[in-house]
Amino acid sequence: LDISSSMDGEPIKELNEGFKIFISDLKSDVLTKYSADLCVITFGGSYPQNIDQEVKIIKEFGPLDELKLEKFEAYGYTPMGEAVNTAIKLLNNRKEEFKENMIQYFQPWLVVLTDGEPTDEYLSAANKVCSLINSQKLTIFPVGVGDNFNEDVLQQFSPQAPVLRLKGTKFKQFFQWLSASVQQVSASNPGDKVELKTSGPKGLGSWATLDGLFGDSD
C-alpha cells in the first residue's frame, strides 16, 4: 500500500476506511478467517524522524487475528521497488515454510496499490515479479489510483495483464471486491478451478478483464 505524501488528505482517509472494511470482511467469514494468509506492507513513511524512503511491514504472514489495525499516515517518498522486493522475500520464506510442513497453498496474489511512481530503483523488483508471473507462481493486481500514477512503470510489474485503474478514491469498493474474491478462493481447495468475477469491481473506473491471470498453485 502506497502511503506517500501524495496520498495526504482524502486518499489516505479513504484508504484507512477501506482497509478496515477489508480486514473486517475477511474476519467475518469463518473459512477465510482461518485460511487466508495475509501480509501487509506500506511504503512511503509515517515517521518523520526516520528517513523518507521507508518500507514498513504492517503484518507478516500468519493468522488474521495477529493484525492490529493502525491508522496510516501519508508521508515521504514512494519506495515501491524496496516494498515489492520485501514482499517477494517474505513470500518465498512463507512458501518454504509451507513446503517443509507439507501444507498445500494457492498461487499467491500480490496487490500493488499506488497513486504515484517509485522514487527508488524498481526494475529488479519488477523483473522478479514478472519471472514469477510467467512461471505461473504469482498473480498480480497492479492498481493505479487517481490520475497521477505512472501507468507505464506500474505496467512493468504486470507482463500478462493491463494495469487496473481505480477511479478517484473508491478504496472501500475495491477492498470489498478483493475480500469477496479471497473468500471465494478460501471456500475451495488448492488445485480447484475457481471462477472469480474477473471483470473487476463495477463502477470503480477503467478495469480490464482479469481472465487468464489465475494459473496453477505453486
Side-chain angles (χ1 to χ4, degrees), residues 124-142:
S124 61
N127 289 336
K128 290 177 185 177
V129 169
C130 289
S131 178
L132 290 170
I133 292 170
N134 289 329
S135 300
Q136 293 191 324
K137 295 181 178 181
L138 183 70
T139 292
I140 189 171
F141 294 88

Side-chain angles (χ1 to χ4, degrees), residues 106-117:
F106 293 94
Q107 180 181 143
W109 297 356
L110 172 64
V111 177
V112 180
L113 189 150
T114 181
D115 74 331
E117 62 180 291

Side-chain angles (χ1 to χ4, degrees), residues 156-187:
Q156 293 182 56
F157 289 84
S158 182
Q160 298 181 11
V163 169
L164 312 177
R165 182 182 291 273
L166 189 63
K167 184 178 180 180
T169 54
K170 295 188 176 182
F171 295 109
K172 292 180 185 177
Q173 296 94 322
F174 168 71
F175 280 119
Q176 285 173 333
W177 173 81
L178 184 62
S179 64
S181 299
V182 174
Q183 289 173 28
Q184 187 176 348
V185 172
S186 296

Side-chain angles (χ1 to χ4, degrees), residues 38-106:
L38 181 70
C39 176
V40 184
I41 298 172
T42 58
F43 53 99
S46 302
Y47 306 100
Q49 66 268 29
N50 295 333
I51 59 173
D52 287 336
Q53 302 254 32
E54 183 179 68
V55 169
K56 184 177 180 182
I57 302 171
I58 302 298
K59 179 189 177 300
E60 294 201 31
F61 286 107
L64 288 169
D65 286 339
E66 293 180 359
L67 174 63
K68 296 180 180 180
L69 286 173
E70 62 178 71
K71 186 178 180 180
F72 301 136
E73 298 179 14
Y75 180 81
Y77 295 111
T78 314
M80 189 164 71
E82 181 186 349
V84 173
N85 274 323
T86 300
I88 295 300
K89 179 180 179 180
L90 292 174
L91 175 61
N92 287 335
N93 291 341
R94 190 59 164 169
K95 289 168 70 174
E96 287 304 313
E97 290 177 10
F98 282 155
K99 290 176 181 178
E100 289 175 3
N101 291 281
M102 294 185 290
I103 298 174
Q104 287 187 306
Y105 56 89
F106 293 94

